[in-house]
Amino acid sequence: EDQVTQSPEALRLQEGESSSLNCSYTVSGLRGLFWYRQDPGKGPEFLFTLYSAGEEKEKERLKATLTKKESFLHITAPKPEDSATYLCAVYDYKLSFGAGTTVTVRA
Amino acid sequence: GAVVSQHPSRVICKSGTSVKIECRSLDFQATTMFWYRQFPKQSLMLMATSNEGSKATYEQGVEKDKFLINHASLTLSTLTVTSAHPEDSSFYICRVSFHNEQFFGPGTRLTVL
């Protein structure tokens, strides 16, 4: 059975304080690893898809990386508007979610 | 722009009534749509897979007679919560899969009084 574990559960950062979120996974045949951002009361907003180990993708202050066992979402010099819950999901013809990391960035 | 829409975005109803939630795929045809439920501070839980032209498949523990799913066209799936009760209050989200990419709707907040 696919398993996805995200850590930490919550992360409080000062504005400008870079950090990383971890997503560890076990899956029989990875067809994609997704990162989403979810704001309270809204559906998940797509950020990145990673398909193979070694792949990296960037978008503004966010950078996602992938190995065979885990993915990292790096937040560089975060701003308060980066506060959200970040969800990781693996796709093996079935989408399995982690519990998410709630990031709070203080001004 | 939005790939998936949901309607309504929020609904408040009395206990015992039925509520219909629509999920539309705006940019492409979707033979399969997925319905999730999310409780506060929890991750998304898959409820059922909606298949165009055939019966939905439900996850273990989800009552098919309570959560009726109709996937009448390639762009529309509906979830009807029948005889809703306060414990059905939740955030309902649909997902559409297209070429391994996964797109979510904006969600529907259901509050049952």
Side-chain angles (χ1 to χ4, degrees):
Chain A
E1 184 178 325
D2 299 347
Q3 289 192 333
V4 184
T5 304
Q6 288 188 247
S7 62
E9 186 176 315
L11 189 60
R12 298 178 67 86
L13 302 171
Q14 198 68 35
E15 184 173 5
E17 179 188 0
S18 301
S19 189
S20 295
L21 284 58
N22 177 265
C23 173
S24 299
Y25 65 90
T26 55
V27 63
S28 56
L30 183 70
R31 299 187 65 81
L33 184 143
F34 302 90
W35 282 99
Y36 293 91
R37 169 192 172 127
Q38 187 175 26
D39 294 297
K42 295 188 177 181
E45 174 190 340
F46 172 77
L47 293 175
F48 303 107
T49 308
L50 301 167
Y51 293 103
S52 58
E55 189 175 359
E56 298 183 352
K57 288 191 177 175
E58 286 188 70
K59 180 182 179 181
E60 296 179 353
R61 294 178 293 281
L62 300 177
K63 179 180 177 180
T65 61
L66 181 66
T67 72
K68 289 185 177 180
K69 295 183 178 180
E70 58 191 351
S71 176
F72 290 94
L73 182 67
H74 307 278
I75 309 178
T76 302
K79 297 182 178 181
E81 52 262 43
D82 295 323
S83 298
T85 295
Y86 291 86
L87 298 171
C88 168
V90 295
Y91 184 61
D92 177 20
Y93 294 112
K94 182 177 180 179
L95 196 64
S96 300
F97 278 94
T101 295
T102 299
V103 175
T104 304
V105 182
R106 304 185 302 271
Chain B
V3 177
V4 183
S5 70
Q6 282 185 240
H7 177 79
S9 58
R10 56 178 63 233
V11 57
I12 300 173
C13 68
K14 293 182 178 180
S15 185
T17 61
S18 293
V19 175
K20 180 186 284 187
I21 302 170
E22 293 184 348
C23 174
R24 291 184 185 274
S25 176
L26 302 177
D27 287 359
F28 44 82
Q29 295 180 332
T31 55
T32 304
M33 294 185 181
F34 304 86
W35 286 97
Y36 290 80
R37 180 167 50 183
Q38 186 177 34
F39 292 105
K41 298 190 183 300
Q42 295 186 23
S43 193
L44 288 77
M45 298 301 296
L46 181 65
M47 298 175 65
T49 302
S50 171
N51 304 295
E52 190 269 335
S54 65
K55 291 183 179 180
T57 54
Y58 290 81
E59 295 299 301
Q60 192 172 8
V62 178
E63 299 175 58
K64 63 180 182 180
D65 294 329
K66 180 165 185 63
F67 299 99
L68 300 179
I69 290 174
N70 184 280
H71 194 148
S73 78
L74 289 172
T75 59
L76 174 64
S77 175
T78 61
L79 169 68
T80 301
V81 183
T82 62
S83 186
H85 287 92
E87 57 265 31
D88 298 323
S89 298
S90 188
F91 193 52
Y92 292 86
I93 309 172
C94 68
R95 170 173 70 91
V96 173
S97 179
F98 184 71
H99 291 325
N100 284 346
E101 299 297 327
Q102 316 298 326
F103 301 97
F104 287 88
T108 297
R109 170 73 59 192
L110 170 63
T111 302
V112 184
L113 303 176

